[in-house]
Amino acid sequence: MKKNAHNFVPKKFTPSTIGLIGGKGAMGKLLAKLLRENGYEVISSGECLGMTERDLRNLNNKILHCCDVIIFCVPISVMKHGIPFIVGHDAPRGLRNKLLLEICSTK
């Protein structure tokens, strides 16, 4: 069986930083608390008073590129628009060796 270089899963993966996009909601806050209690560095983003959509997308884009693990904790109504809607309309690049997860939910 030929190994696909694009889908390589390392035997050991030790993340140093975990990013929570949409981490200001109930699930995101709970997850951030649990991860911090277990020694992980966590960076969260989410809607804040006075923050524009553009500012939020820029912050999400930074999280996407600086964290080893990115967890999308956004409502399914947001996730259905796709990752470019959440992080900006440019195609996400530079995501090799990152783990992307989603815990989207319906409200």
XYZ file of all heavy atoms in Angstrom:
820
model
N 0.835 -1.179 0.000
C 0.000 0.000 0.000
C 0.879 1.241 0.000
O 1.785 1.374 0.804
C -0.912 -0.017 1.232
C -1.907 1.076 1.265
S -3.057 0.736 2.619
C -3.731 2.315 2.810
N 0.591 2.148 -0.888
C 1.362 3.371 -1.042
C 0.935 4.412 -0.009
O -0.250 4.602 0.245
C 1.100 3.932 -2.435
C 2.320 4.330 -3.176
C 1.945 4.591 -4.607
C 2.581 5.875 -5.044
N 2.284 6.195 -6.413
N 1.908 5.076 0.607
C 1.610 6.121 1.588
C 1.280 7.422 0.862
O 1.992 7.839 -0.027
C 2.810 6.336 2.502
C 2.509 7.260 3.658
C 3.752 7.636 4.432
C 4.274 6.500 5.232
N 5.382 6.885 6.106
N 0.192 8.042 1.231
C -0.210 9.320 0.654
C 0.409 10.432 1.494
O 0.079 10.591 2.667
C -1.739 9.434 0.639
C -2.215 10.709 -0.002
O -1.475 11.668 -0.160
N -3.475 10.714 -0.383
N 1.305 11.206 0.905
C 2.016 12.263 1.637
C 1.082 13.342 2.157
O 1.398 14.046 3.114
C 3.084 12.880 0.754
N -0.090 13.489 1.567
C -1.020 14.541 1.983
C -1.859 14.137 3.187
O -2.460 14.974 3.830
C -1.927 14.937 0.825
C -1.166 15.511 -0.326
N -0.575 16.751 -0.271
C -0.874 14.997 -1.534
C 0.044 16.984 -1.411
N -0.121 15.949 -2.189
N -1.937 12.845 3.469
C -2.756 12.367 4.574
C -1.928 11.648 5.629
O -2.407 10.762 6.307
C -3.853 11.431 4.054
C -4.837 12.164 3.186
O -5.171 13.296 3.460
N -5.279 11.523 2.129
N -0.689 12.041 5.769
C 0.207 11.401 6.721
C -0.197 11.738 8.151
O -0.382 12.897 8.497
C 1.649 11.850 6.469
C 2.619 11.317 7.475
C 2.976 9.983 7.466
C 3.150 12.144 8.438
C 3.863 9.485 8.398
C 4.040 11.655 9.376
C 4.396 10.317 9.350
N -0.365 10.726 8.963
C -0.682 10.918 10.373
C 0.541 10.490 11.174
O 0.958 9.338 11.109
C -1.916 10.080 10.794
C -2.191 10.252 12.273
C -3.109 10.464 9.961
N 1.157 11.413 11.926
C 2.351 11.049 12.687
C 2.024 10.072 13.805
O 0.905 10.037 14.313
C 2.829 12.391 13.259
C 1.632 13.254 13.261
C 0.757 12.788 12.134
N 3.027 9.272 14.199
C 2.823 8.320 15.287
C 2.599 9.041 16.606
O 1.879 8.575 17.465
C 4.024 7.384 15.401
C 4.115 6.414 14.260
C 5.237 5.457 14.449
C 5.291 4.509 13.259
N 6.343 3.547 13.371
N 3.253 10.186 16.767
C 3.097 10.957 17.994
C 2.869 12.413 17.628
O 3.592 12.975 16.823
C 4.337 10.821 18.871
C 4.181 11.507 20.198
C 5.318 11.208 21.129
C 5.055 11.953 22.419
N 5.859 11.507 23.494
N 1.859 13.002 18.238
C 1.518 14.397 17.978
C 1.342 15.071 19.329
O 0.479 14.688 20.110
C 0.225 14.471 17.156
C -0.234 15.873 16.869
C 0.455 16.665 15.969
C -1.349 16.394 17.490
C 0.038 17.957 15.687
C -1.783 17.680 17.214
C -1.077 18.458 16.310
N 2.200 16.038 19.613
C 2.134 16.748 20.894
C 1.882 18.222 20.608
O 2.802 18.968 20.308
C 3.458 16.579 21.686
O 3.759 15.192 21.752
C 3.324 17.143 23.076
N 0.625 18.644 20.705
C 0.319 20.048 20.409
C 0.825 20.975 21.500
O 0.797 20.633 22.678
C -1.208 20.070 20.353
C -1.639 18.933 21.196
C -0.563 17.892 21.069
N 1.326 22.138 21.088
C 1.754 23.119 22.089
C 0.676 24.174 22.307
O 0.534 24.699 23.398
C 3.065 23.778 21.676
O 2.896 24.470 20.464
N -0.113 24.472 21.267
C -1.148 25.497 21.367
C -2.433 24.989 20.733
O -2.409 24.430 19.648
C -0.710 26.779 20.643
O 0.589 27.144 21.091
C -1.660 27.923 20.929
N -3.549 25.215 21.429
C -4.851 24.814 20.917
C -5.688 26.066 20.725
O -5.798 26.892 21.637
C -5.554 23.831 21.871
C -4.705 22.562 22.013
C -6.963 23.508 21.378
C -5.222 21.567 23.016
N -6.256 26.224 19.534
C -7.093 27.376 19.229
C -8.557 26.986 19.195
O -8.913 25.971 18.611
N -9.382 27.772 19.847
C -10.826 27.549 19.850
C -11.490 28.688 19.089
O -11.527 29.820 19.572
C -11.377 27.497 21.273
C -10.832 26.399 22.182
C -11.406 26.529 23.570
C -11.143 25.035 21.611
N -11.964 28.400 17.902
C -12.671 29.408 17.116
C -14.143 29.304 17.493
O -14.758 28.261 17.309
C -12.439 29.196 15.610
C -10.960 29.458 15.294
C -13.361 30.087 14.789
C -10.573 29.298 13.854
N -14.659 30.363 18.078
C -15.995 30.333 18.638
C -15.944 29.909 20.100
O -16.915 29.426 20.660
N -14.799 30.105 20.711
C -14.573 29.636 22.074
C -15.156 30.515 23.162
O -14.870 30.296 24.341
N -15.967 31.491 22.821
C -16.570 32.365 23.832
C -17.969 31.899 24.241
O -18.568 32.442 25.153
C -16.653 33.811 23.328
C -15.318 34.404 22.922
C -14.415 34.600 24.107
C -13.127 35.287 23.664
N -12.156 35.418 24.694
N -18.506 30.884 23.563
C -19.813 30.339 23.907
C -19.689 29.326 25.036
O -18.609 29.073 25.575
N -20.809 28.712 25.402
C -20.841 27.779 26.536
C -19.917 26.577 26.321
O -19.118 26.238 27.206
C -22.270 27.316 26.783
N -20.009 25.915 25.159
C -19.156 24.746 24.897
C -17.691 25.136 24.793
O -16.817 24.439 25.300
C -19.599 24.042 23.612
C -20.887 23.269 23.743
S -20.800 21.928 24.953
C -19.605 20.851 24.212
N -17.426 26.253 24.136
C -16.044 26.712 23.992
C -15.412 27.046 25.326
O -14.259 26.691 25.585
N -16.159 27.727 26.196
C -15.637 28.075 27.525
C -15.348 26.824 28.348
O -14.325 26.740 29.017
C -16.629 28.967 28.268
C -16.667 30.385 27.771
C -17.684 31.189 28.561
C -17.803 32.605 28.031
N -18.850 33.369 28.728
N -16.260 25.857 28.297
C -16.058 24.611 29.032
C -14.831 23.868 28.514
O -13.989 23.407 29.290
C -17.305 23.726 28.918
C -17.204 22.348 29.559
C -17.004 22.458 31.071
C -18.436 21.520 29.241
N -14.709 23.771 27.208
C -13.572 23.079 26.604
C -12.264 23.791 26.939
O -11.265 23.144 27.283
C -13.775 22.980 25.091
C -12.810 22.102 24.320
C -12.785 20.686 24.869
C -13.190 22.085 22.851
N -12.253 25.120 26.860
C -11.048 25.890 27.194
C -10.639 25.643 28.638
O -9.454 25.446 28.933
C -11.296 27.380 26.955
N -11.601 25.638 29.543
C -11.317 25.395 30.967
C -10.694 24.014 31.168
O -9.683 23.875 31.851
C -12.620 25.512 31.760
C -12.472 25.273 33.248
C -13.836 25.409 33.944
C -13.723 25.168 35.416
N -13.955 23.792 35.805
N -11.279 22.999 30.536
C -10.760 21.631 30.670
C -9.359 21.499 30.080
O -8.489 20.849 30.671
C -11.711 20.638 30.007
C -13.076 20.476 30.666
C -13.990 19.627 29.788
C -12.933 19.849 32.042
N -9.139 22.113 28.931
C -7.821 22.030 28.302
C -6.766 22.750 29.138
O -5.649 22.245 29.311
C -7.879 22.604 26.884
C -8.655 21.762 25.868
C -8.903 22.553 24.592
C -7.922 20.463 25.571
N -7.095 23.925 29.653
C -6.144 24.666 30.500
C -5.826 23.898 31.774
O -4.678 23.878 32.226
C -6.692 26.052 30.823
C -6.607 27.004 29.642
C -7.034 28.420 30.000
N -6.935 29.282 28.840
C -7.975 29.836 28.224
N -9.208 29.658 28.691
N -7.794 30.587 27.160
N -6.839 23.267 32.364
C -6.614 22.469 33.576
C -5.677 21.303 33.307
O -5.019 20.813 34.223
C -7.945 21.943 34.121
C -8.792 22.994 34.795
C -10.174 22.479 35.193
O -10.517 21.314 34.876
O -10.920 23.260 35.809
N -5.607 20.862 32.054
C -4.723 19.760 31.687
C -3.401 20.235 31.102
O -2.667 19.461 30.504
C -5.444 18.819 30.717
C -6.449 17.958 31.441
O -6.068 17.026 32.131
N -7.721 18.283 31.328
N -3.107 21.529 31.258
C -1.790 22.042 30.916
C -1.593 22.568 29.502
O -0.463 22.875 29.118
N -2.650 22.682 28.731
C -2.510 23.185 27.365
C -2.645 24.700 27.327
O -3.390 25.289 28.091
C -3.575 22.571 26.447
C -3.383 21.101 26.222
C -4.137 20.175 26.928
C -2.445 20.634 25.306
C -3.964 18.819 26.731
C -2.261 19.286 25.106
C -3.027 18.378 25.821
O -2.842 17.034 25.619
N -1.915 25.313 26.398
C -2.079 26.738 26.130
C -3.249 26.868 25.164
O -3.279 26.221 24.123
C -0.821 27.319 25.502
C -0.943 28.790 25.185
C 0.272 29.351 24.477
O 1.308 28.680 24.413
O 0.168 30.471 23.961
N -4.237 27.687 25.519
C -5.451 27.817 24.729
C -5.639 29.267 24.309
O -5.507 30.182 25.119
C -6.693 27.348 25.536
C -7.964 27.535 24.721
C -6.535 25.894 25.958
N -5.945 29.455 23.023
C -6.282 30.778 22.496
C -7.706 30.685 21.974
O -8.018 29.801 21.170
C -5.325 31.193 21.364
C -3.887 31.217 21.855
C -5.731 32.539 20.787
C -2.859 31.414 20.754
N -8.582 31.581 22.435
C -9.994 31.542 22.045
C -10.387 32.801 21.283
O -9.861 33.876 21.538
C -10.888 31.437 23.282
O -10.693 30.225 23.939
N -11.344 32.621 20.386
C -11.942 33.767 19.716
C -13.446 33.614 19.798
O -13.961 32.528 20.054
C -11.498 33.854 18.261
O -12.126 32.835 17.497
N -14.135 34.695 19.566
C -15.584 34.664 19.571
C -16.103 36.078 19.464
O -15.352 37.046 19.567
N -17.394 36.189 19.266
C -18.000 37.510 19.139
C -17.884 38.262 20.456
O -18.186 37.727 21.510
C -19.459 37.383 18.728
C -19.633 36.854 17.324
C -21.089 36.744 16.920
O -21.959 36.864 17.792
O -21.335 36.535 15.733
N -17.394 39.497 20.367
C -17.269 40.367 21.533
C -17.892 41.706 21.190
O -17.896 42.122 20.028
C -15.803 40.577 21.909
S -14.974 39.084 22.435
N -18.351 42.379 22.212
C -18.942 43.697 22.026
C -17.917 44.637 21.397
O -16.772 44.713 21.833
C -19.388 44.246 23.382
C -20.574 45.185 23.394
C -21.776 44.573 22.699
C -20.936 45.554 24.810
N -18.299 45.332 20.353
C -17.416 46.294 19.705
C -16.493 45.699 18.656
O -15.762 46.425 17.994
N -16.485 44.376 18.496
C -15.621 43.739 17.505
C -16.377 43.605 16.190
O -17.494 43.106 16.166
C -15.170 42.365 18.007
C -14.231 41.649 17.059
S -13.701 40.051 17.696
C -12.173 40.527 18.465
N -15.769 44.052 15.107
C -16.414 43.934 13.801
C -16.233 42.519 13.259
O -15.375 41.768 13.723
C -15.812 44.933 12.792
O -14.443 44.565 12.540
C -15.902 46.361 13.297
N -17.035 42.165 12.262
C -16.898 40.849 11.630
C -15.509 40.690 11.022
O -14.919 39.611 11.081
C -17.956 40.658 10.548
C -19.321 40.315 11.078
C -20.295 39.957 9.970
O -19.872 39.506 8.884
O -21.496 40.145 10.203
N -14.991 41.760 10.459
C -13.656 41.712 9.845
C -12.587 41.445 10.904
O -11.687 40.632 10.689
C -13.373 43.018 9.123
C -12.066 43.025 8.396
C -11.861 44.305 7.642
N -10.626 44.231 6.899
C -10.201 45.139 6.080
N -10.935 46.207 5.850
N -9.060 45.010 5.459
N -12.685 42.122 12.059
C -11.728 41.891 13.152
C -11.781 40.438 13.626
O -10.749 39.818 13.873
C -12.013 42.817 14.337
C -11.737 44.277 14.033
O -10.971 44.567 13.088
O -12.285 45.146 14.752
N -13.008 39.915 13.745
C -13.172 38.530 14.195
C -12.581 37.559 13.182
O -11.876 36.614 13.556
C -14.655 38.229 14.430
C -14.976 36.833 14.954
C -14.260 36.553 16.262
C -16.480 36.670 15.131
N -12.810 37.788 11.899
C -12.231 36.904 10.872
C -10.704 36.974 10.888
O -10.030 35.958 10.728
C -12.773 37.273 9.500
C -14.177 36.792 9.287
C -14.610 36.937 7.837
N -15.963 36.433 7.692
C -16.994 37.174 7.325
N -16.825 38.446 7.020
N -18.197 36.649 7.225
N -10.151 38.172 11.078
C -8.692 38.303 11.158
C -8.136 37.544 12.356
O -7.103 36.878 12.256
C -8.288 39.778 11.225
C -8.459 40.483 9.897
O -8.490 39.859 8.845
N -8.584 41.802 9.947
N -8.813 37.646 13.504
C -8.383 36.905 14.696
C -8.486 35.405 14.453
O -7.562 34.652 14.785
C -9.224 37.317 15.903
C -8.943 36.585 17.214
C -7.486 36.751 17.636
C -9.885 37.081 18.303
N -9.574 34.955 13.865
C -9.737 33.532 13.552
C -8.644 33.048 12.603
O -8.117 31.946 12.766
C -11.119 33.282 12.935
C -12.242 33.442 13.929
O -12.030 33.420 15.139
N -13.443 33.607 13.424
N -8.295 33.867 11.625
C -7.246 33.512 10.678
C -5.901 33.364 11.394
O -5.134 32.442 11.115
C -7.167 34.571 9.573
C -6.424 34.079 8.363
O -5.694 33.104 8.421
N -6.607 34.760 7.252
N -5.614 34.256 12.328
C -4.368 34.155 13.096
C -4.344 32.876 13.920
O -3.319 32.190 13.993
C -4.195 35.380 13.990
C -3.834 36.616 13.209
C -3.699 37.831 14.093
C -3.433 39.062 13.228
N -3.438 40.290 13.983
N -5.466 32.562 14.554
C -5.552 31.313 15.329
C -5.325 30.118 14.421
O -4.596 29.183 14.772
C -6.910 31.220 16.060
C -6.951 32.217 17.217
C -7.182 29.805 16.550
C -8.290 32.321 17.913
N -5.928 30.139 13.257
C -5.803 29.040 12.298
C -4.345 28.780 11.943
O -3.932 27.644 11.764
C -6.608 29.374 11.047
C -6.858 28.263 10.049
C -7.748 27.193 10.642
C -7.473 28.811 8.790
N -3.545 29.835 11.861
C -2.158 29.672 11.440
C -1.160 29.522 12.584
O -0.079 28.989 12.372
C -1.759 30.830 10.518
C -2.407 30.705 9.183
N -3.625 31.284 8.884
C -2.045 30.025 8.075
C -3.958 30.970 7.661
N -3.018 30.209 7.138
N -1.488 29.947 13.794
C -0.491 29.872 14.868
C -0.697 28.700 15.818
O 0.187 28.406 16.615
C -0.433 31.189 15.648
S -1.759 31.427 16.824
N -1.814 28.010 15.749
C -2.087 26.904 16.675
C -1.869 25.552 16.000
O -2.053 25.418 14.801
C -3.521 27.002 17.197
S -3.819 28.476 18.177
N -1.503 24.569 16.806
C -1.292 23.211 16.301
C -2.615 22.468 16.126
O -2.765 21.649 15.235
C -0.403 22.416 17.256
C 0.949 23.056 17.435
O 1.543 23.471 16.432
O 1.416 23.145 18.587
N -3.546 22.747 17.025
C -4.874 22.136 16.973
C -5.884 23.272 16.914
O -5.807 24.211 17.695
C -5.144 21.252 18.213
C -6.558 20.709 18.198
C -4.135 20.123 18.310
N -6.827 23.181 15.998
C -7.874 24.189 15.877
C -9.215 23.491 16.030
O -9.508 22.533 15.310
C -7.821 24.927 14.512
C -6.491 25.668 14.344
C -8.967 25.922 14.397
C -5.445 24.893 13.645
N -10.007 23.961 16.990
C -11.316 23.379 17.240
C -12.366 24.434 16.921
O -12.345 25.526 17.490
C -11.454 22.895 18.696
C -10.335 21.910 19.037
C -12.834 22.262 18.916
C -10.275 21.489 20.488
N -13.256 24.116 16.005
C -14.345 25.011 15.652
C -15.520 24.732 16.588
O -16.061 23.633 16.590
C -14.768 24.806 14.190
C -13.718 25.232 13.211
C -12.759 24.343 12.760
C -13.686 26.539 12.750
C -11.784 24.738 11.860
C -12.712 26.950 11.841
C -11.762 26.048 11.403
N -15.870 25.718 17.404
C -16.964 25.597 18.382
C -18.067 26.575 18.009
O -18.529 27.335 18.852
C -16.466 25.918 19.780
S -14.946 25.133 20.280
N -18.439 26.577 16.778
C -19.428 27.544 16.289
C -20.744 26.823 16.014
O -20.764 25.611 15.792
C -18.935 28.257 15.012
C -17.681 29.056 15.292
C -18.682 27.273 13.885
N -21.853 27.553 16.016
C -23.139 26.922 15.662
C -23.108 26.400 14.232
O -22.406 26.932 13.378
C -24.153 28.064 15.802
C -23.486 29.098 16.634
C -22.016 28.960 16.390
N -23.863 25.369 13.991
C -23.911 24.774 12.653
C -24.397 25.784 11.619
O -23.997 25.731 10.456
C -24.782 23.485 12.650
C -24.509 22.630 11.422
C -26.247 23.810 12.758
C -23.209 21.925 11.439
N -25.194 26.752 12.051
C -25.679 27.777 11.120
C -24.532 28.643 10.599
O -24.615 29.211 9.521
C -26.732 28.660 11.797
O -26.180 29.311 12.926
N -23.446 28.744 11.346
C -22.251 29.473 10.907
C -21.338 28.538 10.106
O -20.833 28.900 9.047
C -21.494 30.062 12.116
C -20.169 30.669 11.690
C -22.351 31.083 12.842
N -21.159 27.326 10.603
C -20.244 26.375 9.963
C -20.720 25.981 8.570
O -19.899 25.679 7.706
C -20.096 25.137 10.841
C -18.961 24.248 10.452
S -17.388 25.089 10.701
C -16.273 23.799 10.232
N -22.029 26.010 8.337
C -22.540 25.595 7.018
C -22.040 26.493 5.899
O -22.028 26.099 4.745
C -24.062 25.535 7.023
C -24.740 26.885 7.012
C -26.248 26.758 6.955
C -26.889 28.130 6.905
N -28.330 28.051 6.880
N -21.588 27.706 6.239
C -21.053 28.623 5.230
C -19.615 28.274 4.857
O -19.089 28.785 3.883
C -21.114 30.066 5.724
C -22.506 30.546 5.932
N -23.388 30.777 4.895
C -23.190 30.825 7.065
C -24.538 31.184 5.376
N -24.453 31.217 6.696
N -18.963 27.447 5.652
C -17.616 26.986 5.346
C -16.528 27.752 6.070
O -16.751 28.824 6.619
N -15.346 27.168 6.076
C -14.194 27.744 6.776
C -13.820 29.113 6.222
O -13.530 30.019 6.996
C -13.009 26.762 6.777
C -13.356 25.562 7.669
C -11.731 27.435 7.264
C -12.348 24.461 7.670
N -13.837 29.342 4.893
C -13.499 30.687 4.415
C -14.411 31.779 4.979
O -13.976 32.904 5.206
C -13.647 30.573 2.893
C -13.365 29.140 2.608
C -13.965 28.400 3.777
N -15.668 31.468 5.244
C -16.585 32.443 5.843
C -16.139 32.796 7.267
O -16.263 33.937 7.699
C -18.009 31.858 5.880
C -19.012 32.745 6.563
C -19.553 33.837 5.903
C -19.422 32.481 7.862
C -20.487 34.654 6.528
C -20.347 33.296 8.492
C -20.884 34.383 7.826
N -15.565 31.834 7.975
C -15.174 32.027 9.371
C -13.821 32.717 9.492
O -13.616 33.545 10.374
C -15.166 30.673 10.111
C -16.586 30.079 10.113
C -14.648 30.814 11.534
C -16.659 28.643 10.546
N -12.882 32.396 8.606
C -11.519 32.920 8.736
C -11.152 33.945 7.666
O -10.051 34.459 7.665
C -10.471 31.787 8.741
C -10.683 30.857 9.898
C -10.459 31.041 7.426
N -12.047 34.231 6.756
C -11.759 35.158 5.660
C -11.912 34.435 4.343
O -11.850 33.212 4.284
N -12.103 35.179 3.284
C -12.440 34.567 2.010
C -11.263 34.060 1.207
O -11.442 33.427 0.184
C -13.291 35.534 1.168
C -14.653 35.715 1.763
N -15.609 34.742 1.717
C -15.187 36.739 2.460
C -16.699 35.157 2.339
N -16.465 36.373 2.800
N -10.048 34.315 1.646
C -8.899 33.725 0.965
C -8.846 32.241 1.317
O -9.182 31.837 2.419
C -7.598 34.401 1.402
C -7.554 35.859 0.980
O -8.160 36.198 -0.042
O -6.912 36.656 1.692
N -8.398 31.442 0.366
C -8.298 30.008 0.625
C -7.299 29.756 1.743
O -6.182 30.276 1.703
C -7.863 29.287 -0.652
N -7.696 28.996 2.762
C -6.753 28.702 3.850
C -5.556 27.915 3.327
O -5.720 26.925 2.628
C -7.579 27.855 4.823
C -8.994 28.091 4.458
C -9.002 28.419 3.002
N -4.378 28.382 3.623
C -3.135 27.710 3.229
C -2.243 27.555 4.450
O -2.425 28.234 5.445
C -2.411 28.540 2.171
C -3.233 28.779 0.931
C -2.358 28.770 -0.300
N -3.096 29.118 -1.495
C -3.787 28.257 -2.211
N -3.842 27.013 -1.846
N -4.424 28.628 -3.297
N -1.281 26.686 4.359
C -0.330 26.495 5.443
C -0.902 25.713 6.612
O -0.533 25.941 7.752
N -1.796 24.775 6.326
C -2.436 24.021 7.400
C -1.880 22.610 7.564
O -2.408 21.822 8.333
C -3.948 23.958 7.164
C -4.645 25.311 7.094
C -6.135 25.127 6.854
C -4.406 26.118 8.348
N -0.817 22.307 6.849
C -0.207 20.988 6.993
C 0.325 20.832 8.421
O 0.788 21.781 9.022
C 0.923 20.830 5.987
C 1.518 19.439 6.012
C 2.416 19.244 4.872
N 1.541 19.099 3.694
C 1.958 18.703 2.523
N 3.211 18.459 2.332
N 1.126 18.583 1.519
N 0.239 19.649 8.954
C 0.687 19.319 10.315
C -0.174 19.991 11.386
O 0.289 20.244 12.486
C 2.161 19.663 10.531
C 3.070 18.872 9.621
O 2.793 17.709 9.334
N 4.124 19.493 9.148
N -1.406 20.295 11.055
C -2.349 20.839 12.024
C -3.532 19.892 12.119
O -3.873 19.207 11.162
C -2.827 22.223 11.613
C -1.708 23.254 11.626
C -2.235 24.614 11.291
C -1.130 25.635 11.241
N -0.602 26.000 12.530
N -4.148 19.868 13.267
C -5.321 19.041 13.476
C -6.533 19.961 13.564
O -6.567 20.866 14.397
C -5.176 18.233 14.771
C -6.351 17.347 15.168
C -6.601 16.277 14.116
C -6.075 16.709 16.521
N -7.507 19.767 12.668
C -8.735 20.565 12.660
C -9.879 19.687 13.158
O -10.077 18.579 12.664
C -9.058 21.068 11.255
C -8.011 21.923 10.561
C -8.467 22.290 9.160
C -7.713 23.163 11.351
N -10.623 20.210 14.134
C -11.768 19.497 14.695
C -12.963 20.427 14.726
O -12.795 21.645 14.755
C -11.469 19.049 16.136
C -10.231 18.201 16.366
C -9.900 18.156 17.839
C -10.474 16.804 15.847
N -14.135 19.864 14.790
C -15.322 20.705 14.964
C -16.258 20.038 15.959
O -16.385 18.832 16.001
C -16.014 20.991 13.641
C -16.467 19.781 12.857
C -17.855 19.286 13.229
O -18.591 19.983 13.951
O -18.195 18.179 12.809
N -16.853 20.884 16.800
C -17.874 20.406 17.736
C -19.105 21.284 17.556
O -19.694 21.769 18.511
C -17.378 20.416 19.204
C -16.924 21.817 19.627
C -16.276 19.406 19.410
C -16.734 21.949 21.120
N -19.463 21.479 16.302
C -20.595 22.347 15.976
C -21.881 21.771 16.561
O -22.015 20.579 16.732
C -20.752 22.471 14.470
S -19.316 23.199 13.691
N -22.789 22.678 16.857
C -24.044 22.230 17.430
C -25.186 23.077 16.898
O -24.994 24.178 16.426
C -24.005 22.364 18.955
O -23.810 23.709 19.324
N -26.375 22.514 16.985
C -27.566 23.277 16.622
C -28.110 23.888 17.885
O -28.003 23.338 18.974
C -28.629 22.367 15.975
O -28.937 21.299 16.867
C -28.132 21.808 14.669
N -28.660 25.059 17.751
C -29.189 25.757 18.935
C -30.698 25.777 18.855
O -31.294 25.802 17.836
C -28.663 27.197 18.980
C -27.156 27.286 18.955
C -26.588 26.947 20.303
C -25.098 27.209 20.309
N -24.259 26.197 20.712
